[in-house]
Amino acid sequence: MASFPPRVNEKEIVRSRTIGELLAPAAPFDKKCGRENWTVAFAPDGSYFAWSQGHRTVKLVPWSQCLKNFLLHGTKNITNSSSLRLSRQNSDGGQKNKPREHIIDCGDIVWSLAFGSSVPEKQSRCVNIEWHRFRFGQDQLLLATGLNNGRIKIWDVYTGKLLLNLVDHTEVVRDLTFAPDGSLILVSASRDKTLRVWDLKDDGNMMKVLRGHQNWVYSCAFSPDSSMLCSVGASKAFAV
């Protein structure tokens, strides 16, 4: 049976109401965007909201600005209004980490999304850390996208740039989850019946393949202390 963590007031959830609606473009552009929205995710610090707009694109929206617009304009679709579109500042200098809207073309249908943030004290497992292409700082915020072709792409949320392309799954990546301890350990669940563990601080190297499922793996989640991983799959399978 599912339950909420102690910090969540279930009575408040019962009384919840709609505050706004985000709509994908009505007509596909360049066959990249469709009308179906496959998945959504919030950044751990609440700074960003990401949603798959069908097919290949993901929209990254600074949540505080989005919420403010909802409160000002009700449930209107504010994300497509040119008068309210968020400015795109230059990503250089002091503006680097200022929240900005991005539209990301992932190259294939996006099935899963997950945000990850790093903690400097959590070091990589790799001994030769000076060889790493990326050195993630405390202010780093990443977005992982799981694709129809089995690839996982890692993006810099602040710039919208592609950082890593993880290639090992042979089927759809149905779910993604980051360890909540800031280690940037990513786990992916796939229709190829496996879960794979990736160390993004080690340039995205795959640490382990978990093969406990006999059928498609639908979803996975870490425990709050990052010590346990659970997963569910087809045929009512559940693994810890």
Side-chain angles (χ1 to χ4, degrees), residues 34-169:
R35 297 189 181 186
E36 292 191 35
N37 302 313
W38 293 88
T39 183
V40 294
F42 275 104
D45 61 359
S47 60
Y48 272 90
F49 175 75
W51 55 306
S52 168
Q53 295 185 327
H55 293 215
R56 295 166 45 170
T57 61
V58 171
K59 191 162 191 174
L60 279 165
V61 182
W63 181 243
S64 61
Q65 185 63 53
C66 184
L67 185 59
K68 183 186 300 183
N69 289 337
F70 278 146
L71 296 177
L72 290 174
H73 303 278
T75 59
K76 291 181 180 179
N77 174 23
I78 55 91
T79 60
N80 293 325
S81 170
S82 58
S83 62
L84 294 173
R85 190 173 297 279
L86 300 174
S87 61
R88 286 167 167 70
Q89 300 95 341
N90 191 302
S91 60
D92 296 331
Q95 299 290 338
K96 178 182 177 183
N97 295 336
K98 189 170 183 179
R100 296 181 298 129
E101 180 182 326
H102 296 288
I103 294 180
I104 297 173
D105 181 0
C106 296
D108 205 343
I109 296 175
V110 181
W111 282 82
S112 50
L113 298 170
F115 282 96
S117 59
S118 60
V119 177
E121 290 75 14
K122 291 287 184 179
Q123 297 298 327
S124 169
R125 297 166 61 255
C126 181
V127 175
N128 298 310
I129 194 168
E130 68 274 8
W131 291 356
H132 289 177
R133 287 178 293 168
F134 305 105
R135 294 188 179 183
F136 298 113
Q138 189 172 12
D139 60 349
Q140 191 76 38
L141 184 60
L142 306 179
L143 177 70
T145 56
L147 307 182
N148 190 68
N149 59 11
R151 296 193 175 197
I152 302 167
K153 293 187 177 183
I154 310 298
W155 309 84
D156 185 321
V157 171
Y158 300 126
T159 65
K161 293 181 179 179
L162 178 65
L163 299 179
L164 295 169
N165 193 0
L166 310 181
V167 182
D168 206 73
H169 282 297

Side-chain angles (χ1 to χ4, degrees), residues 216-238:
W216 294 356
V217 189
Y218 290 145
S219 183
C220 56
F222 274 102
S223 61
D225 63 358
S226 302
S227 65
M228 298 182 67
L229 176 73
C230 63
S231 60
V232 292
S235 302
K236 302 180 182 180
F238 173 79

Side-chain angles (χ1 to χ4, degrees), residues 7 13 31 33 45 60 65 181 189:
R7 67 179 181 276
I13 293 177
K31 297 182 180 179
C33 183
D45 61 359
L60 279 165
Q65 185 63 53
D181 62 1

Side-chain angles (χ1 to χ4, degrees), residues 165-217:
N165 193 0
L166 310 181
V167 182
D168 206 73
H169 282 297
T170 58
E171 295 287 347
V172 174
V173 179
R174 287 294 305 266
D175 196 22
L176 295 164
T177 184
F178 277 96
D181 62 1
S183 61
L184 288 183
I185 298 299
L186 174 69
V187 176
S188 54
S190 172
R191 284 184 182 176
D192 65 10
K193 307 176 186 178
T194 69
L195 295 108
R196 296 175 190 262
V197 185
W198 314 82
D199 185 355
L200 299 194
K201 287 190 176 181
D202 190 11
D203 288 343
N205 286 331
M206 189 175 63
M207 299 166 52
K208 188 178 296 185
V209 180
L210 305 176
R211 304 183 185 275
H213 287 270
Q214 302 302 313
N215 292 288
W216 294 356
V217 189

